[in-house]
Each structure stands twice: as C-alpha cells, then as structure tokens.
Amino acid sequence: MLRRSKAEVECYVASVQASAASQREKSLKGFQFAKLYFELKEYELAKRYVSTYLSVQKRDPRAHRFLGQIYEAEDNIEKAFGCYRRSVELNPMQKDLVLKIAELLCNNAVTDERAKYWVEKSAKLFPGSPAVYKLKEQLLDCKAPSLAELHKYDVDNTLPSHLGKSQSNSELEVAHQNLQHETKMSQLRETLRKMTDENNELRSSLNSLRENNELLKTQQHETKMSQLRETLRKMTDENKQHETKMSQLRETLRKMTDENNELRSSLNSLRENNELLKTQHETKMSQLRETLRKMTDENNELRSSLNSLRENNELLKTQHETKMSQLRETLRKMTDENNELRSSLNSLRENNELLKTQHETKMSQLRETLRKMTDENNELRSSLNSLRENNELLKTQHETKMSQLRETLRKMTDENNELRSSLNSLRENNELLKTQHETKMSQLRETLRKMTDENNELRSSLNSLRENNELLKTQQHGTKRSQLRQPFRKMTDENNELRSSLNSLRENNELLKTQHETKMSQLRETLRKMTDENKQHETKMSQLRETLRKMTDENKQHETKMSQLRETLRKMTDENNELRSSLNSLRENNELLKTQHETKMSQLRETLRKMTDENNELRSSLNSLRENIEFLKTQARLIISCY
C-alpha cells in the first residue's frame, strides 16, 4: 500500500469536495477522508471527517467502529469503549469486536462489571478459545488483593482471637503468648513475602508462557511444537487449497452438467424455433412491405404539405415586408414632422427670450424716464410705484405661464417617445402577424389619420401662438413710441392689453390641454387594442409553430422506425446464419465435452481419494495436538493449585 503525504491527501480531499454536488455528498465522503488521515496519524482530522459522516449516516456500525479505533490510538479508553459498544448495538454479528472490547477493558485494568460482562459475552461467542481464557485470567489477576491487604487481614483477624483467649490467663502466659505470637507473625510475614515473590515469579512465568503460546519446558519440545505448528499451517493451507480446488471442480462439474442440459434443450428449442421463425419471417416480411408502402405514401403527403406551408410562409413574408416598408415610410414622415415642430418650438423659445431682453431694456428706459419725471412731478410717484408692482406681477405670471407651456411641451415629447417605443414593439410583433393583416392595416391608417389631424391642430395652435407673438411685438413697438410721447397713459393701456392677452392665452392653453388629453386617451385605446390583437396573433403563430414541430418530429420518428426495421431485418438474417453455424459447432463440442468429462471425472475420483487420506492424517495429528494441549493445561492448573 502506497504511503501518501499530508499535502497529497489534502489536495485529494479538496478536489473531491469541489466536485461534490451537495453538502450531503461531501459528508458521505468523510469516511473515506478519515481513513486517509488515520493512516497519516492525523487523528483530529480523522475524527472531524468521521463525525461529519455520522451526522448523515448515524446508524453505520463501520463508522462507529472506526471512531473507536481513533480514540483507542489516542489512549482514550472510555470513548473508544462507547464507540465500540454502539457499533455492536447496531450490528450484533461483529463477534471479533466483542472480543476486542473485552481485551480493551482487561488490558487497561478496568475491573468493574463492564469487563466481567464483555468477557462472559465473548466466552459465549467463542467457547474454548485460548484468548478468552487469557482474558479471564487477567480479570482474576486484576481483582486479586495486594500483599498489604492480606497482611492487614491476617493481623486484624488473629490479634482479636489471641487477645480474647489471653484475658482469662495470667500475666506470664500473656507474655509467653505474646512472644509466640510475635514469632508466628514474623514467620507469617516471611511466608507471605516468599509467597508474594513466588506469585510474582509464577505470574511472570505465566506471562512468558502466554507470550510464547504455551511453549514447552525444554528446547526440544519447543522445536517439535514449532515444527508441528508449521506442518499444521502447511496442512491447513493445503486443506484450504484442496477445498478451494474441490469447490472449483464441483462448480465446474455443475456448470458443465448445466451447460450440457442447456445445450440439449437449446438444440431442441432451436429446431422448433427455426420452423417458427421461417413462418414468422415470411409474415413479417409481408407486413413490413405493406407498412413500407404506407409510410412512403405518408411521407409523400407530408412532403407535399410541407412544400405548401413553405410557399405560404414565403407569400406571407413578402406581404409583411411590403406592409412594414409602408409603415416605416409613414413613421419617417411623422418623425420629420415632429422635428419640424420641435424646430418651431425652439424658434418660439428664442423669440420669447428676445422679447424678454427687449422688455427688460425698455423697462430700464422707462425707469430712467420715470426717474427724470419724478423730479418734475412728485404727485405721480405713488401711481408709478403701483404700476411697477403690477408689472412685476405680470412678469411673474408670464414666467409661470411660460413654464407651464414648457411642461406641456415636455409631456408631449415624452408621449411622442412613448409612441415611438410602442411603434418599435409593433415592429417586433408585426413579424408574427400572418392573419387578419388587412384589417389591422386599416386600423393603423385610421390611427395615422388621427395623428395627422392632431399634428395639423398642433400646427394651427403654433400658428396662433406665432400670430399672438407678432401682435405682442407690434403692440410693444407701438407702446414704445407712445411711451416716449405719452408715458403715463400708454402704460395703463399696455397693462390692460397684457391682461387680455394673458386671459386669451390661458383659454387657449386650457383648450389645448383638453384636446390633447382626449387625443391621448384615444391613442392609448388604439394601442391597447393593437397589443391585444398582437397577443392573439402570437398565440396563433405559436400554435402553427407547434404543429410544424410535431410534423417534423413525426417525420423523424417515421425515418427512425424505417431504419430500425431495416436493421432488424439485417440482424435477423445474420442471426439465422449464426444459428446454423452454432448448431454445427455445438454438435462438435458435445462430442469433445463428453470425452473431456470422462477424463476429468476419473482425475477427480483419484484426487478425492488422495485428499481423504490426507484429511484422515491431519485429523489424527490434530487429535494428538489437542491431547498435548489438554495435558499442558492440566499441569498448569496443578502448579497453580499447589501454590
């Protein structure tokens, strides 16, 4: 077995864990990893991986036994005993583990009831085993009292009796008895010391006898025993080999008889099957020809239907492309119109900016003239201040209205962008439209007409705004001239005109808002309808695709069936030829097997006779060895009883 390093084992573990599909699979590999780390004496890692394995496979006796081996290697006897006991509980058929538990407890001087229980259990499982006998002796040695305890026991038992007897005698007798008692105690101590020494020597001799497998006293006897053991080992090996050979020969004989019977039955069945196969082959060939003719007709029909479907698809594609080109053209025109509208809006914004700047310059001029006139007319200061405040209010109102107009324009641009996105989605969805295309095109034309009407309305509104701006410009120029001539009178007229124009702009804005909202609601409704129709078309197209896919799958299945039928025909013809050749070869082999069988049977009888003679010799030698072992046991028991 190759020795691996820790780095190699860690690389192997990492690769296996990386290839694992789940955490459970990683945990199941933990038992294998633990064995590798146990070989490297990395007991902590081995325990960790065994624990992960036991978290998934809690009732695996092999894993509990392996964990006990790890604890035993760490000299943790209690935990090792617990793991071994759990393994035996899960699988009571582990007789060797029962003996191992008893040896573990006895070798580590565990003298409680557990050791006695496991030794008795191993004695039941292995009656007459020398290993169990050694365990019983170890258990008795562990439970034997020490020398100090024996001495204490003798002193405590002899002194009270001596004292009880001496109380009725005189003092001389007491002293004499005390001397005798002291001498006896010294003799007892000496005898106890000698007995303990002899016991120790006997224990050492018994241990040496156990280690040397109950060797004899002399070297000649030892050599004879080793020779006998060697011969026994060889004879057992030869017996095992003979038994394996005999089992193999019996198995070969059984197989050969079975093969002969099978060959005979197969020959009879083959003859019968050949007749049946001929009739079946003729009927199957006629059926196959009929099925081939039907399948060719079906394939031709399917091909014609596929060709018609392809032509229809081509026509639909051409129609769809023409309609899509028309739609693209209309969308391009609409984008051009939208660009023009944007440019016009930008120009309006620029004009508004210019008007603001002009208005500011004029206001500065007016302030200058008013400042000059305040020197001349102190009474008109209050009126001018009120007019200035009104102008500021008008400015703020004008700015708010302009911001509202910008917001509405921004919303319109956003809506146009949404329309563009919806049109892009329509382009993608229009590739799937194949039925009811003309009705949809009419609806699209209607929506385009409405949109052109809306664009025209927007243009008219822009023209009205331009006209209003022109009027404002002319009014402002007229007011400039009149301001220079009659400043106070014209300012009041301008304020009134601005108020009226603002009111008109408000009304126009409200109308535009209402019109825009109605148009947008109509556009949303049309878009919703178009999306619903697109969904219906998508479902229909998916159904058509599914039918086409099924038809193609059926064609493939028909083709595979045809190929399989051809292959089966070819195989049947080959099998018929092989059967004919095999029949001829079987007849020849039967004759050879008969001759070989007779020769092998004669050889087997001869080998069986020899093996029976050898077995008888081995039995006689085993009986003599058993008698010698019993004799040695009786001698050892006599020696122990004497001491």
Side-chain angles (χ1 to χ4, degrees):
M1 189 173 182
L2 292 173
R3 297 287 294 174
R4 297 181 182 176
S5 63
K6 186 177 179 181
E8 290 175 350
V9 172
E10 286 177 350
C11 290
Y12 173 72
V13 170
S15 64
V16 173
Q17 286 183 343
S19 63
S22 62
Q23 187 65 34
R24 181 180 174 80
E25 190 174 351
K26 289 181 183 178
S27 299
L28 290 171
K29 295 287 184 181
F31 193 22
Q32 184 180 357
F33 301 154
K35 288 180 180 178
L36 295 173
Y37 282 114
F38 183 74
E39 290 175 2
L40 297 172
K41 296 183 179 180
E42 294 288 337
Y43 299 130
E44 291 297 327
L45 291 171
K47 282 193 288 184
R48 190 179 72 186
Y49 282 109
V50 171
S51 299
T52 56
Y53 176 78
L54 285 170
S55 64
V56 179
Q57 296 289 333
K58 294 180 181 179
R59 298 185 63 81
D60 191 352
R62 296 180 297 113
H64 286 285
R65 182 171 181 172
F66 186 70
L67 186 59
Q69 290 177 3
I70 297 169
Y71 282 125
E72 187 179 358
E74 290 180 343
D75 292 330
N76 195 342
I77 305 303
E78 291 297 327
K79 288 187 177 180
F81 169 70
C83 293
Y84 287 149
R85 185 180 63 188
R86 179 60 178 161
S87 180
V88 171
E89 287 173 358
L90 293 171
N91 186 10
M93 300 302 292
Q94 300 179 88
K95 295 180 181 179
D96 59 338
L97 187 57
V98 174
L99 187 61
K100 186 176 178 67
I101 292 169
E103 289 176 352
L104 178 70
L105 294 172
C106 292
N107 290 330
N108 289 280
V110 178
T111 60
D112 54 5
E113 293 298 325
R114 293 180 297 171
K116 184 178 179 182
Y117 171 76
W118 288 102
V119 169
E120 288 177 355
K121 192 171 182 179
S122 59
K124 289 178 183 178
L125 293 173
F126 299 99
S129 176
V132 177
Y133 182 73
K134 289 178 185 178
L135 290 173
K136 286 182 178 180
E137 287 182 349
Q138 286 180 2
L139 190 62
L140 290 171
D141 292 338
C142 291
K143 287 186 176 181
S146 63
L147 179 63
E149 289 175 352
L150 286 170
H151 179 66
K152 184 179 179 182
Y153 176 78
D154 291 333
V155 171
D156 291 336
N157 289 328
T158 53
L159 282 172
S161 62
H162 178 70
L163 289 170
K165 291 177 182 178
S166 62
Q167 284 178 0
S168 61
N169 296 322
S170 63
E171 293 178 356
L172 293 169
E173 289 177 354
V174 169
H176 183 67
Q177 287 178 358
N178 284 325
L179 289 170
Q180 288 179 356
H181 182 69
E182 286 176 359
T183 56
K184 286 178 182 179
M185 286 297 291
S186 61
Q187 288 174 1
L188 284 169
R189 288 190 190 96
E190 188 67 24
T191 54
L192 283 170
R193 186 178 59 77
K194 289 179 180 179
M195 286 174 72
T196 53
D197 294 334
E198 288 175 357
N199 282 322
N200 291 321
E201 288 175 358
L202 285 169
R203 283 174 188 170
S204 63
S205 63
L206 284 169
N207 289 320
S208 63
L209 285 168
R210 286 170 194 162
E211 290 173 357
N212 294 320
N213 292 319
E214 298 177 355
L215 295 174
L216 296 171
K217 292 178 182 179
T218 60
Q219 293 180 355
Q220 292 177 357
H221 191 66
E222 288 177 357
T223 54
K224 287 178 182 178
M225 287 297 289
S226 62
Q227 289 174 0
L228 284 169
R229 288 191 192 95
E230 187 67 25
T231 53
L232 278 170
R233 187 179 61 77
K234 289 179 181 179
M235 288 169 77
T236 52
D237 294 333
E238 288 176 357
N239 280 324
K240 288 178 182 178
Q241 291 176 0
H242 286 303
E243 286 175 358
T244 54
K245 287 178 182 179
M246 285 294 290
S247 62
Q248 289 174 0
L249 288 167
R250 289 191 192 97
E251 188 68 25
T252 51
L253 282 169
R254 188 180 60 77
K255 287 180 181 178
M256 287 170 73
T257 53
D258 293 334
E259 286 175 358
N260 284 321
N261 293 321
E262 287 176 359
L263 288 168
R264 287 170 187 168
S265 61
S266 63
L267 282 168
N268 294 319
S269 63
L270 283 168
R271 286 169 187 166
E272 293 174 357
N273 290 322
N274 280 322
E275 296 295 327
L276 291 170
L277 284 169
K278 286 178 182 179
T279 56
Q280 289 176 1
H281 184 66
E282 291 175 356
T283 54
K284 285 179 181 178
M285 286 300 289
S286 61
Q287 290 175 1
L288 285 169
R289 289 189 191 97
E290 187 66 27
T291 52
L292 284 169
R293 186 179 60 76
K294 289 179 181 178
M295 288 172 77
T296 50
D297 295 332
E298 288 177 358
N299 282 321
N300 292 320
E301 289 176 358
L302 289 168
R303 284 171 186 166
S304 62
S305 62
L306 283 169
N307 291 319
S308 63
L309 285 168
R310 284 171 186 163
E311 290 173 357
N312 290 320
N313 282 321
E314 293 295 328
L315 290 170
L316 287 168
K317 283 180 183 177
T318 53
Q319 290 176 2
H320 185 66
E321 286 175 356
T322 54
K323 288 173 183 178
M324 287 300 291
S325 62
Q326 290 174 2
L327 281 170
R328 289 190 189 95
E329 188 65 28
T330 53
L331 286 168
R332 186 180 59 76
K333 289 178 181 179
M334 286 174 73
T335 52
D336 295 333
E337 289 176 357
N338 283 321
N339 290 321
E340 289 177 359
L341 288 168
R342 285 176 185 169
S343 62
S344 63
L345 285 169
N346 290 321
S347 64
L348 283 169
R349 286 173 186 166
E350 291 174 356
N351 290 322
N352 283 321
E353 293 293 329
L354 290 169
L355 285 170
K356 283 181 182 179
T357 53
Q358 290 175 2
H359 184 67
E360 288 175 356
T361 54
K362 286 174 184 179
M363 287 301 291
S364 63
Q365 291 174 2
L366 283 169
R367 288 189 189 96
E368 187 66 27
T369 53
L370 284 168
R371 188 178 60 76
K372 289 178 181 179
M373 290 176 73
T374 51
D375 296 332
E376 294 175 354
N377 296 314
N378 292 320
E379 292 177 356
L380 295 170
R381 286 175 184 174
S382 60
S383 62
L384 284 168
N385 290 320
S386 62
L387 287 168
R388 284 173 186 168
E389 290 174 358
N390 289 321
N391 281 321
E392 291 295 327
L393 289 169
L394 287 169
K395 283 180 183 178
T396 55
Q397 289 175 359
H398 184 67
E399 287 175 356
T400 54
K401 287 175 182 178
M402 288 301 289
S403 64
Q404 289 175 359
L405 285 169
R406 289 189 191 96
E407 187 67 21
T408 52
L409 287 168
R410 187 179 62 76
K411 288 179 180 178
M412 288 172 74
T413 54
D414 293 332
E415 288 172 354
N416 282 321
N417 290 321
E418 288 177 358
L419 287 169
R420 285 176 186 169
S421 64
S422 64
L423 285 168
N424 289 320
S425 65
L426 284 170
R427 284 176 187 170
E428 293 174 356
N429 291 322
N430 277 324
E431 292 178 356
L432 302 172
L433 293 172
K434 288 184 179 180
T435 58
Q436 297 178 355
H437 194 68
E438 293 178 357
T439 56
K440 289 181 182 178
M441 287 301 292
S442 64
Q443 290 175 359
L444 286 169
R445 288 191 190 95
E446 185 67 26
T447 53
L448 286 168
R449 185 178 63 75
K450 289 179 181 179
M451 289 173 75
T452 51
D453 293 335
E454 287 175 359
N455 284 320
N456 290 321
E457 287 175 358
L458 288 169
R459 284 178 186 172
S460 63
S461 64
L462 285 168
N463 290 320
S464 65
L465 286 168
R466 285 175 185 169
E467 289 174 358
N468 289 322
N469 284 320
E470 291 294 330
L471 288 169
L472 285 169
K473 285 180 183 179
T474 54
Q475 287 175 2
Q476 285 174 0
H477 286 297
T479 51
K480 283 178 187 178
R481 291 174 184 175
S482 61
Q483 279 172 4
L484 291 169
R485 293 172 185 171
Q486 295 177 354
F488 298 105
R489 184 174 60 81
K490 295 294 181 182
M491 285 175 74
T492 55
D493 294 330
E494 282 176 0
N495 285 323
N496 292 320
E497 286 174 357
L498 285 168
R499 285 172 185 170
S500 62
S501 64
L502 285 168
N503 289 319
S504 63
L505 284 167
R506 284 174 187 168
E507 292 173 356
N508 290 320
N509 282 322
E510 292 294 329
L511 289 169
L512 286 168
K513 283 180 182 178
T514 54
Q515 290 175 0
H516 184 67
E517 287 176 356
T518 53
K519 288 174 182 177
M520 287 302 292
S521 63
Q522 290 174 359
L523 282 170
R524 288 190 189 97
E525 188 67 21
T526 52
L527 284 169
R528 186 178 62 77
K529 289 178 180 178
M530 289 170 76
T531 52
D532 294 332
E533 289 174 357
N534 283 324
K535 287 178 181 178
Q536 291 176 0
H537 287 301
E538 285 175 359
T539 54
K540 289 179 181 178
M541 288 300 290
S542 64
Q543 289 174 0
L544 285 169
R545 286 195 190 93
E546 189 68 20
T547 51
L548 283 169
R549 187 179 63 76
K550 287 179 180 178
M551 289 170 75
T552 53
D553 292 333
E554 287 176 357
N555 283 323
K556 287 178 181 177
Q557 288 176 0
H558 286 301
E559 289 175 358
T560 53
K561 285 179 182 178
M562 288 295 290
S563 62
Q564 287 175 0
L565 287 168
R566 292 190 189 94
E567 188 68 20
T568 51
L569 284 169
R570 186 179 62 76
K571 286 180 180 178
M572 285 171 75
T573 53
D574 294 331
E575 285 175 359
N576 284 321
N577 293 320
E578 287 175 0
L579 286 168
R580 287 170 185 168
S581 62
S582 64
L583 281 169
N584 294 319
S585 63
L586 284 168
R587 286 169 186 165
E588 294 173 357
N589 288 321
N590 278 322
E591 297 296 324
L592 292 170
L593 286 169
K594 284 178 183 178
T595 56
Q596 290 176 1
H597 183 66
E598 290 174 355
T599 55
K600 285 179 181 178
M601 286 299 289
S602 62
Q603 291 174 0
L604 283 169
R605 288 189 190 97
E606 187 66 21
T607 52
L608 282 168
R609 188 179 60 76
K610 289 178 181 179
M611 287 172 77
T612 51
D613 296 332
E614 288 175 357
N615 282 321
N616 292 319
E617 290 174 359
L618 288 168
R619 282 173 186 168
S620 63
S621 62
L622 282 168
N623 290 319
S624 64
L625 283 169
R626 283 173 187 166
E627 289 172 358
N628 290 322
I629 289 164
E630 291 293 329
F631 179 73
L632 289 169
K633 283 181 181 179
T634 54
Q635 285 180 352
R637 284 172 188 165
L638 288 169
I639 292 163
I640 291 164
S641 63
C642 289
Y643 287 112

